Amino acid sequence: MWKRIILVLLLTFSFNFSNIDIANASALNSFVNTTKGYEFLYPNGWVKVKVKDGPDVVFHDIIENSENISVVISPVPGDQTLLELGTPSEVGYKLGKNALAPEGSGRKAELINAAQREVDGKTYYALEYQIKLSNGRKRHNISNVAVSRGKLFTLNASVSERRWRKVKNLIEGSVNSFSVY
């Protein structure tokens, strides 16, 4: 009898945990740009937005329009590697100062976390910011930065601070899925 109870409990737990993985996987869609050499997952229910200048691609939430994910591709001087561009904190500081809160924008970017990781022989910097807008509102930005084929690839996700805790895992999953080749 105990064996049956244990078996039923194990099957129940296995089924519940497999449903969690299926739910998380179905919450993200895949975007691949084979021409430029990058891919990432973005939240289900977000749509691609046409942009004229700046980012290579932008997706935003159809309900919370200010929540977005974008990829910016920039040239790297002298074919430097990411490590040659600086430490995660140095690159994070430059990105915050030049892209997220440039002079005259009225925004302030505070780098609150910077880390390095290796995936399939590529170096990535994971950067986290709190952005204060000119109107006093706060946003949470996380970025994943890598260098490939002489270009700096930056995936950036931006969410209002008031919604950050609710969507944190989803956005982190999206940003951490970013890969270049």
Side-chain angles (χ1 to χ4, degrees):
M1 182 168 123
W2 285 107
K3 287 182 183 180
R4 286 185 193 167
I5 293 171
I6 291 172
L7 180 60
V8 169
L9 287 174
L10 285 174
L11 288 173
T12 302
F13 284 123
S14 296
F15 180 73
N16 286 337
F17 287 129
S18 66
N19 281 344
I20 291 169
D21 291 339
I22 291 168
N24 286 338
S26 67
L28 296 170
N29 295 315
S30 177
F31 177 80
V32 179
N33 187 324
T34 55
T35 304
K36 295 187 179 171
Y38 68 90
E39 60 186 69
F40 63 94
L41 300 173
Y42 65 93
N44 192 23
W46 287 33
V47 294
K48 187 175 176 184
V49 180
K50 290 187 179 185
V51 290
K52 291 183 182 182
D53 295 323
D56 191 58
V57 67
V58 177
F59 287 88
H60 75 82
D61 189 327
I62 58 174
I63 296 170
E64 295 284 339
N65 286 339
S66 70
E67 293 179 6
N68 62 76
I69 292 178
S70 61
V71 175
V72 175
I73 304 171
S74 310
V76 175
D79 278 344
Q80 292 179 311
T81 66
L82 187 56
L83 296 170
E84 291 170 332
L85 291 176
T87 66
S89 294
E90 291 168 340
V91 170
Y93 176 76
K94 290 176 195 172
L95 178 65
K97 183 179 175 184
N98 297 323
L100 300 176
E103 193 172 318
S105 69
R107 295 184 298 233
K108 293 181 183 176
E110 178 186 352
L111 181 65
I112 55 177
N113 194 19
Q116 176 180 328
R117 67 184 173 100
E118 301 288 324
V119 178
D120 296 329
K122 293 270 187 200
T123 302
Y124 293 84
Y125 290 170
L127 309 169
E128 183 175 5
Y129 302 88
Q130 186 173 62
I131 309 294
K132 186 174 181 183
L133 304 176
S134 59
N135 63 7
R137 291 187 180 169
K138 293 181 181 176
R139 297 192 63 76
H140 209 95
N141 282 45
I142 57 174
S143 302
N144 209 337
V145 181
V147 170
S148 181
R149 300 181 294 160
K151 295 185 175 153
L152 178 71
F153 290 79
T154 305
L155 179 128
N156 185 66
S158 181
V159 176
S160 68
E161 195 64 43
R162 107 185 130 73
R163 285 194 23 95
W164 173 243
R165 287 191 180 183
K166 182 176 183 175
V167 297
K168 179 182 185 220
N169 291 339
L170 185 66
I171 299 299
E172 284 179 342
S174 179
V175 172
N176 290 334
S177 74
F178 183 61
S179 66
V180 297
Y181 43 91

